[in-house]
Amino acid sequence: MKFRILLLLPLFGVFGASAFEVNQVFREERFTRGNVNLRPLQEIDNASWIWPDGVVYGGDSRPVVRFRAEFEGRQEPLRLDVSADARFVLILDGREIARGPHKGFPEHWYYQTYDITGLKDGIHTLEAVVFYLGEAGPSSIMSSGRGGFVLKASGGYDSALTTGRGKWKAAMVPCMSYGTLTDPDTMTGFENIVRGTGFLDWSELTWMEASVVKAKVTDDEYGVHDRGWSLFPTERLDPVNRRIAPGSIRAAQNAYAATNLLYSLQDVKRDWTARFDALLKRGEPVTVPPNSEVRFLWDFGDYYCAYPQLDVSRGAGSSIRWAWTEGLYNEKAMRGNRSEFIGKRVLRSMYDTFLPDGRERASFTVPWWKSGRWAEISVKTKDEPLTLTHLSMTETRYPMESRARFECDDPSIAPIRQMCIRGMQNCLHEMFMDCPYFEQQMYPGDTRVEMLVLNSIFGDDRMLRFAIGIFDYARRNDGLVPMNFPSRYIQDSSTYSMCWAMMLGDYALWHGTNEFLRLRIPGARHTLSAIAASENGDGLLVDLPGWSFMDWVPEWDFYGNAPNGRRGLSALNNLLYVYALKSLAYAEESLGESDMAACRRRRAERTARAVVKRFWSEERGMIADTEAKDVFSEHGQCLAILTGILSPERERRAFQGLLEAKDLARTTVYFSHYLFETYLKFGRADLFLKRLDLWRGYLADGLKTPVEAPGVRARSDCHAWGAHPLYHLQTGVAGIRPAANGFAAVRIAPQPGGLKRISAASPTPKGDVSVDLRFENGGASGTVTLPPDLPGEFEWNNVRRKLTSGINVIEEKGN
C-alpha cells in the first residue's frame, strides 16, 4: 500500500523543480517478537547501524550528526527502509523527504519505508540529520542510550546506500545544546539552544567515515538475540509536514525577558507591531537596531503543533527567544478568555533560544515541535543589527481529516464539532496523546475514548493497532500495562490497565477479528487475571496497585481517585472491572473463544452480584460509591447502567437518581463520555445536547480545543479526551452504530433530542453511511443511504425495519 508524502518542503532555500516523487509504503506487519534480532526477518536486517567514532554522551552533550552518501541514479525505483535513534530528518538532493522514526521503544523500534521514483541519471546525494536527544527530548521519545542510524536500499542502490555497505560519511553538527525544562510542569523536552544556524543548514562540517555500532542481523542457531534495537515496520502514516503562517502579530514591546509587563493598547499601535505583521504576511524584512530589545506577540488564531521557522541575517551576538503558550495571564494570574491579550502577559511558556553568529543567512528550527495558541518572540541585539527575513512554522500532526459529517438545525453544534476535531488533530501524532503542551503522553483511559472518536469520524485502524499493540508489548510480568507509554517515566494504574482491556472489545466491534486482535487476547487475559489477584473472598477488588485514576472530580481527592479508590473497597473500581471483563469476553466470543468468554462473564457476574449486594442503596435507589453508602456519584450510576448489573427496575431507579439527585459527584470532561453513553442508552439525547453547555462555554472563553477539566483543574487547553461529543453525535444523535463485528452490519437509531433536522455521514469499512432526516410530530422522514454489501436496519419508536444498499426512503409516523 502506498501513500504520497504530504507537502514535503525544501529546507535550504528554493531548489529547482524536483523530478522525483516519494511515497510512503508499508511492509508486512509483525504482531509478535518472534525471531527479531535472532534471524534476518526483513530487508532492513541486512543493514548495519552506524555512528561516528568518539561521540561523547551525557551532561550537555546530546549530539547531532549529519550523514551523507552519494549515489548514481538508475532507471529503477529506489526503496528505502530507514530508522534512527532518537530522531532523523532524511534529505535527498537538498529536499526533505521524511522524518522519524515513529515512536516506539528499543525492544520494539520502528522503521519507515519509502519508494522513490523518477530519479534522473547522474549523481545524487542522500543525507540524514540524526539527533540523540536523551533526557533533553520529550519523555515519550525513548532511546537505547546511544545514537544510531540504519538504512537499507533496494536493488542496484544497495551497495552505495545500505548502511554498513555504502560509503557513508558522518559529521558532528555543532549548533545544538540544551537548557532545562522551561516549564517544570511539562514532560515535552528541554529548551533547545541553537547557535549560528539551524542543524539542517549548517555547512561548515568536518567529515569522517561512519563506523558500524550494530552489525546486520545474522542467523543464530543457539537462540542468542543481538543486543540493541529490535526493528519492526511501522503501521502508521507519516505526520503532516506543512509550512504555514497563520494569524497575525497583535502587539509589540521594547523588552526581552521581562514577565511583569502587561500588553496594552499602546503596544498594539507600536510601529513594531505593523512591521512584524508585514514580515509574517508578506515576507517584508525587519531590522532590529544594535543594542536593542523588542518582542512581539503572534496570535495564531487557532491551536497548532508546529516546528518554528525563522530566517535571519547578521546580528552577531544577538539572542532570540521563541516562546509558546496556550493563553496569556492577567494580573491575578488567571487566563480568562484565551482570545484576549490586553491587560495580560505571557507568564507560562515553553521556549527555545536562537543565537545568531553574524552570518548573512541563518535558518533556525528545532528537533521536536511545540504547541499552543500564541507565540511571543523576543529579540535582543548587541553591536550588530539583526534582520529577520522569514517567519513561519511547519505544522505537524497525524494526517487525520474527518470523514464524518453532522449537520442540524442547532447552530451551536457546528463550532463544537470543529473545536473537538481540532482537539483530536492536535493530540494525534505518531501516537495518541493526552495533550500536546504539557505531557505528550499516551494513557489507556484517554486513548480508549480517543479511539472511539477516531472510529466514528475517520475509520482507519492503523493508530488503534499501534496503541493497543504497544501497551501489550510493554506489559509487565505482573500483567499490568503501563499507565503511560511509550515513556521514560512510567506510571502504574490498575484502572487504566482495565481500560486497555476494554479497547479489545471496541476493536472487535468496529474493525473485526483478525490476526492482530487474536494475538492481543493472551495479553489482555494476563492483565485481567493479574488484577483478579486483588479480589477478596467475595470477588471484589481491594487495595489496587498503582494510581487508580477515575476522574478529576473536585469533591474527591486531589489525585482523581474515586472514594476509597486508592486504598480500600471502591464501587467504581469494581464496576470498571466488570466493564473490562465483559469487553474482553466480547472480543473472545468474536474470535470463537466461547469457553474463555464464558469464563470472563462468570467472573464479571460474580463481581457484579457482590457490587449490588454491598453498594446498592435501596433507600436512595442508587449505587453508592462506598460501603457506608454515604457518597454517590454520576460515575457509579453510569457504570452500573452501562455494565447491565442491575435489574430493569433498579436500573430505572438508578437512572432517575442520576437525573434528580442533587448530591451526586458530577462527571467532568473525561468521564462525561460514560455519562453521555448512559443518556443515549435511555434515549435521552436531549440531556446530552443540554450538557454540551460545558463545550459552549469553552467557545465563549475563546478556546479552540477542549480542555482537560473545568475550574481549578483547567491546566491543559488541548485535551483530546474532551473530543468525545463527536462520537456521541455520530453514534447517538445520528444513531449510526455497528451492529455486528467489524461493522459487518449497521444499526441506525437516531435520537434527535429536540432537533428538527439531522444530516450526517459516518465512515465504515465498506463506505460511508449517510442519513438525511427530518423530525416532526414524533415521526421521522427522509433518506438513509448505505454502501454496497452493508446490511442494516432502521429503528424508530422501538420498531425496526430492514435497510438495503443504496437509498432507503424513511417515512415513520409518531406514536
Coordinates of all heavy atoms in Angstrom, one line a residue, residues 587-657:
A587 N -14.7 -9.7 23.0 CA -13.6 -9.9 22.0 C -13.3 -11.4 21.9 O -13.1 -11.9 20.8 CB -12.4 -9.1 22.4
E588 N -13.3 -12.1 23.0 CA -13.1 -13.6 23.0 C -14.2 -14.3 22.2 O -13.9 -15.1 21.3 CB -13.1 -14.1 24.4 CG -12.0 -13.5 25.3 CD -10.9 -14.5 25.5 OE1 -10.6 -15.3 24.7 OE2 -10.2 -14.3 26.6
E589 N -15.4 -13.9 22.4 CA -16.5 -14.5 21.7 C -16.4 -14.3 20.2 O -16.7 -15.2 19.4 CB -17.8 -14.0 22.2 CG -19.1 -14.7 21.8 CD -19.2 -16.1 22.5 OE1 -19.4 -16.1 23.7 OE2 -19.3 -17.1 21.8
S590 N -16.0 -13.1 19.8 CA -15.9 -12.7 18.4 C -14.8 -13.6 17.7 O -14.9 -13.8 16.5 CB -15.6 -11.2 18.3 OG -14.3 -10.9 18.6
L591 N -13.8 -14.0 18.5 CA -12.8 -14.9 17.9 C -13.1 -16.3 18.0 O -12.2 -17.2 17.7 CB -11.5 -14.6 18.6 CG -10.8 -13.2 18.3 CD1 -9.8 -12.8 19.3 CD2 -10.1 -13.3 16.9
G592 N -14.3 -16.7 18.5 CA -14.6 -18.1 18.6 C -14.2 -18.7 19.9 O -14.3 -20.0 20.0
E593 N -13.7 -17.9 20.8 CA -13.2 -18.5 22.1 C -14.4 -18.5 23.1 O -14.4 -17.8 24.1 CB -12.0 -17.7 22.6 CG -10.8 -17.7 21.7 CD -10.0 -19.0 21.9 OE1 -10.4 -19.8 22.7 OE2 -9.0 -19.2 21.2
S594 N -15.4 -19.3 22.9 CA -16.6 -19.2 23.7 C -16.3 -19.6 25.1 O -16.9 -19.1 26.0 CB -17.7 -20.1 23.1 OG -18.0 -19.7 21.8
D595 N -15.5 -20.6 25.3 CA -15.2 -21.1 26.7 C -14.5 -20.0 27.5 O -14.9 -19.7 28.7 CB -14.4 -22.3 26.7 CG -15.1 -23.6 26.2 OD1 -16.4 -23.5 26.1 OD2 -14.5 -24.5 25.8
M596 N -13.6 -19.3 26.9 CA -12.9 -18.2 27.6 C -13.8 -17.1 27.8 O -13.8 -16.4 28.9 CB -11.7 -17.8 26.8 CG -10.6 -18.9 26.6 SD -9.9 -19.4 28.2 CE -9.2 -17.9 28.9
A597 N -14.7 -16.8 26.8 CA -15.6 -15.7 27.0 C -16.6 -16.0 28.2 O -16.9 -15.1 29.0 CB -16.4 -15.5 25.7
A598 N -17.0 -17.2 28.3 CA -17.9 -17.6 29.4 C -17.2 -17.5 30.7 O -17.8 -17.1 31.7 CB -18.4 -19.1 29.2
C599 N -15.9 -17.8 30.7 CA -15.1 -17.7 32.0 C -15.1 -16.2 32.4 O -15.3 -15.9 33.6 CB -13.7 -18.2 31.8 SG -12.6 -18.0 33.2
R600 N -14.9 -15.3 31.5 CA -14.8 -13.9 31.8 C -16.2 -13.4 32.3 O -16.3 -12.6 33.3 CB -14.5 -13.0 30.6 CG -13.2 -13.4 29.9 CD -12.0 -13.0 30.8 NE -10.8 -13.8 30.2 CZ -9.8 -14.2 31.0 NH1 -9.8 -14.0 32.3 NH2 -8.8 -14.9 30.4
R601 N -17.3 -13.9 31.7 CA -18.6 -13.4 32.1 C -18.9 -14.0 33.5 O -19.6 -13.2 34.3 CB -19.6 -13.9 31.1 CG -19.5 -13.2 29.7 CD -20.7 -13.5 28.8 NE -20.5 -12.9 27.5 CZ -20.2 -13.6 26.4 NH1 -20.0 -15.0 26.5 NH2 -20.0 -13.1 25.3
R602 N -18.5 -15.2 33.8 CA -18.8 -15.7 35.1 C -18.1 -14.9 36.2 O -18.7 -14.5 37.2 CB -18.3 -17.2 35.2 CG -19.3 -18.2 34.5 CD -18.9 -19.6 35.0 NE -17.6 -20.0 34.6 CZ -17.3 -20.6 33.4 NH1 -18.2 -20.8 32.5 NH2 -16.0 -20.9 33.2
R603 N -16.8 -14.5 35.9 CA -16.1 -13.7 36.9 C -16.8 -12.3 37.0 O -16.9 -11.7 38.1 CB -14.7 -13.5 36.5 CG -13.8 -12.8 37.5 CD -12.3 -12.8 37.1 NE -11.7 -14.1 37.3 CZ -11.3 -14.6 38.4 NH1 -11.3 -13.9 39.5 NH2 -10.7 -15.8 38.5
A604 N -17.2 -11.7 35.8 CA -17.9 -10.4 35.9 C -19.2 -10.5 36.7 O -19.5 -9.6 37.4 CB -18.2 -10.0 34.4
E605 N -20.0 -11.6 36.5 CA -21.2 -11.7 37.2 C -21.0 -11.9 38.7 O -21.8 -11.4 39.5 CB -22.0 -12.9 36.6 CG -22.5 -12.7 35.2 CD -22.9 -13.9 34.4 OE1 -22.8 -15.0 35.1 OE2 -23.2 -13.8 33.2
R606 N -20.0 -12.6 39.1 CA -19.7 -12.7 40.5 C -19.4 -11.4 41.1 O -19.9 -11.0 42.2 CB -18.5 -13.7 40.7 CG -18.0 -13.9 42.1 CD -17.0 -14.9 42.2 NE -16.6 -15.2 43.6 CZ -15.4 -14.9 44.1 NH1 -14.4 -14.4 43.3 NH2 -15.1 -15.2 45.4
T607 N -18.5 -10.6 40.5 CA -18.2 -9.3 41.0 C -19.4 -8.4 41.0 O -19.7 -7.6 41.9 CB -17.0 -8.7 40.2 OG1 -15.9 -9.5 40.3 CG2 -16.7 -7.3 40.7
A608 N -20.2 -8.5 39.9 CA -21.4 -7.6 39.8 C -22.4 -7.9 40.9 O -23.0 -7.0 41.5 CB -22.1 -7.9 38.4
R609 N -22.6 -9.2 41.2 CA -23.5 -9.5 42.3 C -23.0 -9.0 43.6 O -23.8 -8.4 44.4 CB -23.7 -11.1 42.4 CG -24.5 -11.7 41.3 CD -24.9 -13.1 41.7 NE -23.7 -14.0 41.9 CZ -23.1 -14.7 40.9 NH1 -23.6 -14.6 39.6 NH2 -22.0 -15.4 41.1
A610 N -21.7 -9.0 43.8 CA -21.1 -8.5 45.1 C -21.3 -7.0 45.1 O -21.5 -6.4 46.2 CB -19.7 -8.9 45.2
V611 N -21.1 -6.3 44.0 CA -21.2 -4.9 44.0 C -22.7 -4.5 44.4 O -22.9 -3.6 45.2 CB -20.9 -4.3 42.6 CG1 -21.3 -2.9 42.4 CG2 -19.4 -4.4 42.3
V612 N -23.6 -5.1 43.8 CA -25.0 -4.8 44.1 C -25.3 -5.1 45.6 O -26.0 -4.3 46.2 CB -26.0 -5.6 43.2 CG1 -27.4 -5.4 43.6 CG2 -25.8 -5.2 41.7
K613 N -24.8 -6.2 46.1 CA -25.1 -6.5 47.5 C -24.4 -5.5 48.4 O -25.1 -5.1 49.4 CB -24.5 -7.9 47.8 CG -24.7 -8.4 49.2 CD -24.2 -9.8 49.4 CE -24.4 -10.3 50.8 NZ -23.8 -11.6 51.0
R614 N -23.2 -5.1 48.1 CA -22.5 -4.2 49.0 C -22.8 -2.7 48.8 O -22.8 -1.9 49.8 CB -21.0 -4.3 48.8 CG -20.4 -5.7 49.2 CD -20.3 -5.8 50.7 NE -19.5 -7.0 51.1 CZ -18.2 -7.0 51.3 NH1 -17.5 -5.9 51.2 NH2 -17.5 -8.1 51.5
F615 N -23.2 -2.3 47.6 CA -23.2 -0.9 47.3 C -24.6 -0.4 46.9 O -24.8 0.9 46.8 CB -22.2 -0.5 46.2 CG -20.8 -0.8 46.6 CD1 -20.1 -1.9 46.2 CD2 -20.1 0.1 47.4 CE1 -18.8 -2.2 46.6 CE2 -18.8 -0.1 47.7 CZ -18.1 -1.2 47.3
W616 N -25.6 -1.2 46.7 CA -26.9 -0.7 46.3 C -27.6 -0.2 47.5 O -27.7 -0.8 48.6 CB -27.7 -1.9 45.7 CG -29.2 -1.4 45.4 CD1 -30.3 -1.7 46.2 CD2 -29.6 -0.6 44.3 NE1 -31.4 -1.1 45.6 CE2 -31.0 -0.4 44.5 CE3 -29.0 0.0 43.2 CZ2 -31.8 0.4 43.6 CZ3 -29.7 0.8 42.4 CH2 -31.1 1.0 42.5
S617 N -28.1 1.0 47.4 CA -28.8 1.7 48.4 C -30.3 1.6 48.1 O -30.8 2.3 47.2 CB -28.4 3.1 48.7 OG -29.3 3.8 49.5
E618 N -31.1 0.8 48.8 CA -32.5 0.7 48.5 C -33.2 2.0 48.9 O -34.2 2.4 48.2 CB -33.1 -0.5 49.3 CG -34.5 -0.8 48.9 CD -34.7 -1.2 47.5 OE1 -33.8 -1.7 46.9 OE2 -35.8 -0.9 46.9
E619 N -32.7 2.6 49.9 CA -33.3 3.9 50.3 C -33.1 5.0 49.2 O -34.1 5.7 48.9 CB -32.6 4.4 51.6 CG -33.1 5.7 52.1 CD -32.3 6.2 53.3 OE1 -31.4 5.5 53.8 OE2 -32.6 7.4 53.7
R620 N -32.0 5.1 48.6 CA -31.7 6.1 47.6 C -32.1 5.6 46.2 O -32.2 6.4 45.3 CB -30.2 6.6 47.6 CG -29.8 7.2 48.9 CD -30.4 8.6 49.1 NE -30.2 9.5 48.0 CZ -29.1 10.3 47.9 NH1 -28.2 10.3 48.8 NH2 -29.0 11.1 46.8
G621 N -32.1 4.3 46.0 CA -32.4 3.8 44.7 C -31.2 4.0 43.8 O -31.4 4.2 42.6
M622 N -30.0 3.9 44.3 CA -28.8 4.2 43.5 C -27.6 3.3 44.1 O -27.7 2.8 45.2 CB -28.4 5.7 43.6 CG -29.3 6.6 42.9 SD -28.7 8.3 42.8 CE -28.7 8.7 44.6
I623 N -26.6 3.2 43.2 CA -25.3 2.6 43.7 C -24.5 3.6 44.4 O -24.3 4.7 43.9 CB -24.6 2.1 42.4 CG1 -25.2 0.8 41.9 CG2 -23.1 1.8 42.8 CD1 -25.0 -0.5 42.7
A624 N -24.1 3.3 45.6 CA -23.2 4.2 46.4 C -21.8 4.0 45.9 O -21.4 2.9 45.4 CB -23.4 3.9 47.8
D625 N -20.9 5.0 46.2 CA -19.5 4.8 45.9 C -18.8 4.0 47.0 O -17.7 3.4 46.7 CB -18.9 6.2 45.9 CG -19.4 7.0 44.7 OD1 -20.0 6.4 43.8 OD2 -19.1 8.3 44.6
T626 N -19.3 4.0 48.2 CA -18.6 3.3 49.3 C -19.6 2.4 50.0 O -20.8 2.5 49.9 CB -18.1 4.3 50.4 OG1 -19.2 5.0 50.9 CG2 -17.2 5.4 49.7
E627 N -19.0 1.4 50.8 CA -19.8 0.5 51.6 C -20.7 1.3 52.6 O -21.8 0.8 52.9 CB -18.9 -0.5 52.3 CG -18.4 -1.6 51.4 CD -17.7 -2.6 52.3 OE1 -16.6 -2.4 52.7 OE2 -18.3 -3.7 52.5
A628 N -20.2 2.4 53.1 CA -21.0 3.1 54.1 C -22.2 3.8 53.4 O -23.1 4.3 54.2 CB -20.1 4.2 54.7
K629 N -22.3 3.8 52.1 CA -23.4 4.4 51.4 C -23.7 5.8 51.8 O -24.8 6.3 51.8 CB -24.7 3.5 51.6 CG -24.5 2.0 51.1 CD -25.7 1.2 51.4 CE -25.4 -0.3 51.0 NZ -26.5 -1.2 51.2
D630 N -22.6 6.5 51.9 CA -22.7 7.9 52.3 C -22.3 8.9 51.2 O -22.6 10.1 51.4 CB -21.7 8.2 53.5 CG -20.3 7.8 53.3 OD1 -20.1 7.1 52.3 OD2 -19.4 8.1 54.1
V631 N -21.8 8.4 50.1 CA -21.5 9.3 49.0 C -21.9 8.6 47.7 O -21.8 7.4 47.6 CB -20.0 9.7 48.9 CG1 -19.6 10.7 50.0 CG2 -19.1 8.5 49.0
F632 N -22.4 9.4 46.8 CA -22.9 8.9 45.5 C -22.3 9.7 44.4 O -21.9 10.9 44.6 CB -24.4 8.9 45.5 CG -25.1 8.0 46.5 CD1 -25.1 8.4 47.8 CD2 -25.6 6.8 46.1 CE1 -25.7 7.6 48.8 CE2 -26.2 6.0 47.1 CZ -26.3 6.4 48.4
S633 N -22.3 9.2 43.2 CA -21.8 9.9 42.0 C -22.5 9.6 40.8 O -23.2 8.5 40.6 CB -20.3 9.6 41.9 OG -20.1 8.2 41.5
E634 N -22.4 10.5 39.8 CA -22.9 10.1 38.4 C -22.1 8.9 37.9 O -22.7 8.1 37.2 CB -22.7 11.3 37.5 CG -23.6 12.5 37.8 CD -23.5 13.6 36.8 OE1 -22.4 13.8 36.2 OE2 -24.5 14.4 36.6
H635 N -20.8 8.9 38.2 CA -20.0 7.8 37.7 C -20.5 6.4 38.1 O -20.6 5.5 37.3 CB -18.6 7.9 38.3 CG -18.0 9.3 38.2 ND1 -18.5 10.4 38.8 CD2 -16.9 9.7 37.4 CE1 -17.7 11.5 38.5 NE2 -16.8 11.1 37.7
G636 N -20.9 6.3 39.4 CA -21.4 5.0 39.8 C -22.7 4.6 39.1 O -22.9 3.4 38.7
Q637 N -23.6 5.5 38.9 CA -24.9 5.2 38.2 C -24.6 4.8 36.8 O -25.2 3.9 36.2 CB -25.9 6.3 38.3 CG -26.1 6.9 39.7 CD -26.0 6.0 40.9 OE1 -26.7 5.0 40.9 NE2 -25.1 6.3 41.8
C638 N -23.7 5.6 36.1 CA -23.4 5.3 34.7 C -22.8 3.9 34.5 O -23.2 3.2 33.7 CB -22.5 6.4 34.2 SG -23.2 8.0 34.1
L639 N -21.8 3.6 35.3 CA -21.1 2.3 35.2 C -22.0 1.2 35.5 O -22.0 0.1 34.8 CB -19.9 2.3 36.0 CG -18.7 3.2 35.6 CD1 -17.6 3.1 36.6 CD2 -18.2 2.8 34.2
A640 N -22.9 1.3 36.5 CA -23.8 0.3 36.8 C -24.8 0.1 35.7 O -25.2 -1.1 35.4 CB -24.6 0.6 38.1
I641 N -25.3 1.1 35.1 CA -26.2 1.0 34.0 C -25.6 0.5 32.7 O -26.1 -0.4 32.0 CB -26.9 2.4 33.7 CG1 -27.8 2.7 34.9 CG2 -27.6 2.4 32.4 CD1 -28.3 4.2 34.8
L642 N -24.4 1.0 32.4 CA -23.7 0.5 31.1 C -23.2 -0.9 31.2 O -23.2 -1.6 30.2 CB -22.5 1.5 30.9 CG -22.9 2.9 30.5 CD1 -21.6 3.7 30.3 CD2 -23.7 3.0 29.2
T643 N -22.9 -1.4 32.4 CA -22.5 -2.8 32.5 C -23.6 -3.7 32.7 O -23.4 -5.0 32.7 CB -21.5 -2.9 33.7 OG1 -22.2 -2.4 34.9 CG2 -20.2 -2.2 33.5
G644 N -24.9 -3.2 32.9 CA -26.0 -4.1 32.9 C -26.1 -4.9 34.2 O -26.7 -6.1 34.1
I645 N -25.6 -4.5 35.3 CA -25.6 -5.3 36.5 C -26.9 -5.2 37.3 O -27.1 -6.0 38.3 CB -24.4 -4.9 37.4 CG1 -24.6 -3.6 38.1 CG2 -23.1 -5.0 36.6 CD1 -23.6 -3.3 39.2
L646 N -27.8 -4.3 37.0 CA -29.0 -4.0 37.8 C -30.2 -4.7 37.1 O -30.2 -4.8 35.9 CB -29.2 -2.5 37.9 CG -28.1 -1.7 38.6 CD1 -28.4 -0.3 38.6 CD2 -27.9 -2.2 40.0
S647 N -31.2 -5.0 37.9 CA -32.5 -5.4 37.3 C -33.1 -4.3 36.6 O -32.8 -3.1 36.8 CB -33.4 -5.9 38.5 OG -33.7 -4.8 39.3
P648 N -34.0 -4.5 35.7 CA -34.7 -3.4 35.0 C -35.3 -2.4 35.9 O -35.1 -1.2 35.6 CB -35.8 -4.1 34.1 CG -35.2 -5.5 33.9 CD -34.5 -5.8 35.2
E649 N -35.9 -2.8 37.0 CA -36.5 -1.8 37.9 C -35.4 -1.0 38.6 O -35.5 0.2 38.7 CB -37.4 -2.5 38.9 CG -37.9 -1.6 40.0 CD -38.8 -0.5 39.5 OE1 -39.3 -0.5 38.4 OE2 -38.9 0.5 40.3
R650 N -34.4 -1.6 39.1 CA -33.3 -0.9 39.7 C -32.5 0.0 38.7 O -32.1 1.1 39.1 CB -32.3 -1.9 40.4 CG -32.9 -2.4 41.7 CD -31.9 -3.4 42.4 NE -32.3 -3.7 43.7 CZ -31.7 -4.5 44.6 NH1 -30.6 -5.1 44.1 NH2 -32.1 -4.7 45.8
E651 N -32.4 -0.5 37.5 CA -31.7 0.4 36.5 C -32.5 1.6 36.2 O -32.0 2.7 36.1 CB -31.5 -0.4 35.2 CG -30.7 0.3 34.2 CD -30.4 -0.6 33.0 OE1 -29.4 -1.4 33.1 OE2 -31.1 -0.5 32.0
R652 N -33.9 1.5 36.2 CA -34.7 2.6 36.0 C -34.6 3.6 37.2 O -34.5 4.8 37.0 CB -36.2 2.2 35.9 CG -37.2 3.3 35.6 CD -38.6 2.9 35.9 NE -38.8 2.6 37.3 CZ -39.0 3.5 38.3 NH1 -38.9 4.8 38.0 NH2 -39.2 3.1 39.5
R653 N -34.5 3.1 38.4 CA -34.4 4.0 39.6 C -33.0 4.6 39.6 O -32.9 5.8 39.9 CB -34.6 3.1 40.9 CG -36.0 2.6 41.1 CD -36.1 1.8 42.4 NE -35.9 2.7 43.5 CZ -35.6 2.3 44.8 NH1 -35.5 1.0 45.0 NH2 -35.5 3.1 45.8
A654 N -32.0 3.9 39.2 CA -30.6 4.5 39.2 C -30.6 5.6 38.2 O -30.0 6.7 38.4 CB -29.6 3.4 38.9
F655 N -31.2 5.4 37.0 CA -31.2 6.5 36.0 C -32.0 7.7 36.5 O -31.6 8.9 36.3 CB -31.8 6.0 34.7 CG -31.7 7.0 33.6 CD1 -30.5 7.3 33.0 CD2 -32.9 7.7 33.1 CE1 -30.4 8.2 32.0 CE2 -32.8 8.6 32.1 CZ -31.5 8.9 31.5
Q656 N -33.1 7.4 37.2 CA -33.9 8.5 37.8 C -33.1 9.3 38.8 O -33.1 10.5 38.8 CB -35.2 8.0 38.4 CG -36.2 9.1 38.7 CD -36.8 9.7 37.4 OE1 -36.8 9.0 36.4 NE2 -37.3 10.9 37.5
G657 N -32.3 8.6 39.6 CA -31.4 9.2 40.6 C -30.3 10.0 39.9 O -30.0 11.1 40.4

